[in-house]
Amino acid sequence: MKPPVLLYACPTVDQEAWVKALSAAWPGIDIRLWPQTGDKDEIDYAFVWKQPAGILSDLPNLKVIFSLGAGVEHVLTDMTLPAAIPLVRMVDPTLVTGMVEFVVMQVLHYHRSMPAYAAQQRTGIWKQLPQLLPSERRVGILGLGELGAACARVLAGFGFDVAGWSRSAKDLPGVRGYVGPGQLDGFLAQTDILVCLLPLTAQTRGILNRRTLSMLPRGSYLINAARGGHLVEDDLIPLLDEGHLSAATLDVFAVEPLPTAHPFWTHPKITLVPHAAALTHPGTASRIVAANIDRHRRGEALHNLVDRARGY
Ligand code: NDP
Ligand code: OXD
């Protein structure tokens, strides 16, 4: 069998590391770097991140689309995407570990009053603040999938009072489950630190807005490591300025890179990270893509298929 031909179409990602890793994962793979596609009839697979719209619609022998990321809204926004071609998202233990590290780091940062200590340091104040037990801090995670569930497990292991919200019911030890739109407000009302790890879909776009964030108890915290489209950006700063929210960590934004004049850059209660909560690692992820290509070529079922109707 001839080696697979893979179209690499990730214009905003450094291609050198990926070409090296994909070539190591599948020696002999024929990688075409978009826009240099060569003969389009030869392309079997596409590997994409924010690919320009339309570029996958005229590849007559395209068999599978692989997303570099766990989230796939960046692929699905292309209305010309061939409906019958399977779409596979990134599920990689390395990505999960990265997200767990990031979320736990931010939860601990707020739990242990680090913003308040930093403010005290700036003004030379020596004062010990009350130290809550983890069991006295309620962490609520929106989305209990690969990433949310892993974060929930580790936070529960620290002894936090953990709850999660998902579309279908879960049974995670030490994690109180809330399901569907009807239980969202109840979930929010009992959350001191809210972590968003939802996929961006028609149902979840704008879910972090003035109404929902106002349901959180006064003084709570927000960590958004999912997508910028989950947050109604104009609603956040008034809630921070009024003190309803104590602080927010934002890894993702409606427009990325975040425009230089955006008020989030300088707001004292916002910790800002450039979509780096969990980066897909070329080495491990390429092996996962290669294993899936292998499966497909053997006629076996693909792993991590996206349900296009659900949007994730
Ligand atoms: P999964 O698909 O594994 O999990 C998604 C979770 O969200 C599931 O528990 C699902 O519920 C729940 N969910 C989806 N829609 C709804 C809804 N309408 N109401 C309630 N719950 C809902 O995704 P991952 O955990 O792998 O990734 C989550 C997101 O994290 C990605 O889509 C991506 O946007 C973001 N991400 C961000 C990164 C970063 O660096 N900032 C890195 C990687 C991912 P159910 O289980 O019932 O289906
Ligand atoms: C992802 C991401 O979806 O990096 O994996 O945001």
Side-chain angles (χ1 to χ4, degrees):
M1 208 188 250
K2 73 175 185 51
V5 180
L6 178 84
L7 176 67
Y8 176 93
C10 311
T12 60
V13 178
D14 168 31
Q15 67 186 38
E16 202 182 317
W18 280 101
V19 171
K20 201 168 148 207
L22 287 162
S23 304
W26 193 301
I29 193 168
D30 180 351
I31 302 175
R32 310 277 169 89
L33 300 174
W34 184 85
Q36 271 82 49
T37 56
D39 181 352
K40 291 185 175 179
D41 288 0
E42 292 173 351
I43 292 172
D44 301 306
Y45 303 101
F47 183 68
V48 301
W49 176 257
K50 298 185 180 175
Q51 85 284 356
I55 69 163
L56 302 176
S57 59
D58 63 345
L59 305 174
N61 294 310
L62 181 65
K63 296 166 184 66
V64 183
I65 301 165
F66 293 97
S67 165
L68 177 148
V72 290
E73 82 298 332
H74 66 99
V75 188
L76 295 173
T77 47
D78 180 354
M79 301 312 283
T80 69
L81 208 62
I85 311 279
L87 171 62
V88 170
R89 69 190 199 92
M90 185 56 66
V91 176
D92 179 351
T94 308
L95 192 65
V96 175
T97 304
M99 187 57 84
V100 170
E101 286 172 0
F102 182 80
V103 167
V104 170
M105 171 176 70
Q106 291 304 305
V107 167
L108 291 175
H109 182 73
Y110 293 132
H111 172 62
R112 294 303 304 270
S113 308
M114 289 311 289
Y117 282 125
Q120 288 189 183
Q121 181 180 352
R122 283 194 293 274
T123 45
I125 295 173
W126 179 277
K127 183 177 168 221
Q128 292 168 347
L129 299 171
Q131 189 175 316
L132 266 63
L133 297 173
S135 58
E136 295 170 317
R137 189 80 72 179
R138 300 164 299 178
V139 183
I141 304 180
L142 290 165
L144 286 176
E146 295 289 337
L147 302 177
C151 292
R153 275 190 213 99
V154 175
L155 290 165
F158 268 90
F160 286 104
D161 180 347
V162 182
W165 183 72
S166 50
R167 223 165 66 129
S168 56
K170 307 286 171 212
D171 186 14
L172 292 172
V175 180
R176 258 171 301 112
Y178 291 76
V179 179
Q183 295 187 7
L184 179 60
D185 289 2
F187 162 82
L188 294 169
Q190 62 80 63
T191 293
D192 302 315
I193 301 179
L194 179 66
V195 180
C196 182
L197 284 171
L198 288 165
L200 185 61
T201 66
Q203 288 71 40
T204 65
R205 182 174 289 282
I207 194 165
L208 305 171
N209 55 54
R210 180 171 258 288
R211 191 198 75 79
T212 53
L213 296 174
S214 297
M215 300 296 301
L216 297 168
R218 188 171 177 80
S220 45
Y221 300 88
L222 169 67
I223 299 168
N224 185 16
R227 285 292 182 264
H230 289 124
L231 175 66
V232 178
E233 291 191 344
D234 288 347
D235 289 356
L236 181 64
I237 288 182
L239 289 164
L240 289 166
D241 290 346
E242 291 156 17
H244 183 75
L245 293 181
S246 292
T249 295
L250 305 177
D251 177 61
V252 284
F253 304 89
V255 176
E256 296 180 2
L258 186 67
T260 45
H262 199 290
F264 286 171
W265 278 109
T266 51
H267 197 282
K269 292 183 176 176
I270 292 178
T271 298
L272 193 154
V273 182
H275 197 145
L279 298 176
T280 308
H281 187 272
T284 56
S286 292
R287 288 195 285 278
I288 287 166
V289 172
N292 237 343
I293 291 179
D294 201 27
R295 241 171 246 124
H296 181 258
R297 282 162 58 108
R298 289 198 309 260
E300 294 170 15
L302 289 159
H303 287 185
N304 310 320
L305 271 177
V306 170
D307 178 336
R308 294 252 204 130
R310 275 189 337 183
Y312 68 99

